[in-house]
Amino acid sequence: MGEPNLMLGSRRQQPGGHLSLRSANPALSAKTFAGMEGSTGNVMTVDGTVNRVTISLAILLAFGYLTYSMEITGLIFVGVIGGLIVALVTIFKKHLSPVTVPIYAALEGVALGGISYAFNEIYEGIAFQAVFLTLAILFSLLFAYRTRLIKPSENFKLGVTAATGGIFIVYMLSFVMSFFGSGLPIMDVNNSSLLSIGFSLFVVVIASLNLVLDFDFIEQGAEMRAPKYMEWYGAFGLLVTLVWLYIEMLHLLAKLRGR
């Protein structure tokens, strides 16, 4: 499998060859690596995936800074819809991920840059705070995972997955209610009540814990010797979680600033 990774560390396969491929991330489902075990030749490594994550984040941040600094908000819809389409292509055509993931990162950067500018117009400095906190959480949890301060046990995975599923149901319920002229009050970014802030804080915590599952999933994919292109797909899965975490961080900070 190559040299032990310096960032995520290495972990032996469990007795009997069992690997628990559980993740709440829709891009990293239990069937992600199905049929890919035992590949020969160029295979997925954790080091390689970390490099792909770095490239993807650099692309996202570059396009985000471009649209933010140029005060472009008219492309938010293009970035969101385009990113969704490219994400679906990536999920169903994983072998295209070396091409689709950089495109996804660019589109998400365009969307997040515009969204960040809109939030920053209301609450000055909030975008920088959200970026800083998101990256701080990423590297803190990466350190905790590497040093095994956090161990993704089966119960841990079940709890995070169940909580993520519950949040998704709340999202969908609010989305359906929006067609009738309203949504769930706790989802309103202008709602600065303690209940609304508590909900946003809970979502940020769960989104953060999903990063741990993503780290574990990437490491397991490398242990299973998945094809080389899965490094890009692993980076994609991590990027999906980071985008979710950043948006929820903006919502939480906006609610706190609104009090």
Side-chain angles (χ1 to χ4, degrees), residues 9-10 81 135-136 171 174 180 205 258:
S10 61
I81 299 302
L135 292 179
Y171 283 168
S174 183
F180 299 94
V205 170

Short mmCIF file of all heavy atoms in Angstrom, two decimals, residues 9-10 81 135-136 171 174 180 205 258:
data_model
loop_
_atom_site.label_atom_id
_atom_site.label_comp_id
_atom_site.label_asym_id
_atom_site.label_seq_id
_atom_site.Cartn_x
_atom_site.Cartn_y
_atom_site.Cartn_z
N GLY A 9 -2.07 8.59 9.38
CA GLY A 9 -1.54 7.44 10.06
C GLY A 9 -1.91 6.17 9.33
O GLY A 9 -2.40 6.19 8.21
N SER A 10 -1.68 5.04 9.93
CA SER A 10 -2.03 3.76 9.30
C SER A 10 -2.73 2.89 10.33
O SER A 10 -2.49 2.97 11.52
CB SER A 10 -0.78 3.05 8.79
OG SER A 10 0.11 2.76 9.84
N ILE A 81 -26.19 24.87 -8.76
CA ILE A 81 -26.79 23.88 -9.67
C ILE A 81 -25.71 23.13 -10.45
O ILE A 81 -25.76 21.90 -10.60
CB ILE A 81 -27.77 24.56 -10.66
CG1 ILE A 81 -28.92 25.23 -9.88
CG2 ILE A 81 -28.32 23.54 -11.64
CD1 ILE A 81 -29.70 24.28 -9.01
N LEU A 135 -11.45 25.67 8.68
CA LEU A 135 -10.11 25.08 8.51
C LEU A 135 -9.53 24.64 9.85
O LEU A 135 -8.85 23.61 9.93
CB LEU A 135 -9.18 26.09 7.83
CG LEU A 135 -9.52 26.42 6.37
CD1 LEU A 135 -8.54 27.45 5.82
CD2 LEU A 135 -9.49 25.16 5.50
N ALA A 136 -9.81 25.41 10.90
CA ALA A 136 -9.32 25.03 12.24
C ALA A 136 -9.93 23.71 12.68
O ALA A 136 -9.24 22.84 13.24
CB ALA A 136 -9.66 26.13 13.24
N TYR A 171 -33.96 19.26 7.09
CA TYR A 171 -33.73 20.05 5.88
C TYR A 171 -34.86 19.85 4.87
O TYR A 171 -35.39 20.81 4.30
CB TYR A 171 -32.41 19.64 5.22
CG TYR A 171 -31.16 20.16 5.87
CD1 TYR A 171 -29.92 19.65 5.51
CD2 TYR A 171 -31.19 21.15 6.84
CE1 TYR A 171 -28.75 20.12 6.08
CE2 TYR A 171 -30.04 21.62 7.43
CZ TYR A 171 -28.82 21.11 7.05
OH TYR A 171 -27.67 21.58 7.62
N SER A 174 -38.16 21.44 6.01
CA SER A 174 -38.14 22.89 5.83
C SER A 174 -38.27 23.26 4.36
O SER A 174 -38.94 24.23 3.99
CB SER A 174 -36.85 23.47 6.41
OG SER A 174 -36.82 24.87 6.30
N PHE A 180 -44.96 26.42 0.71
CA PHE A 180 -46.22 26.93 1.23
C PHE A 180 -46.02 28.27 1.93
O PHE A 180 -46.83 28.70 2.74
CB PHE A 180 -46.83 25.91 2.20
CG PHE A 180 -47.13 24.58 1.57
CD1 PHE A 180 -46.20 23.55 1.64
CD2 PHE A 180 -48.31 24.37 0.87
CE1 PHE A 180 -46.47 22.31 1.04
CE2 PHE A 180 -48.57 23.16 0.26
CZ PHE A 180 -47.65 22.12 0.35
N VAL A 205 -21.54 20.66 14.86
CA VAL A 205 -20.85 19.56 15.55
C VAL A 205 -20.95 18.26 14.75
O VAL A 205 -19.95 17.54 14.55
CB VAL A 205 -21.43 19.35 16.97
CG1 VAL A 205 -20.89 18.06 17.60
CG2 VAL A 205 -21.09 20.54 17.85
N GLY A 258 -26.44 38.25 15.21
CA GLY A 258 -27.73 38.91 15.16
C GLY A 258 -28.33 39.17 16.53
O GLY A 258 -29.34 39.86 16.64
#
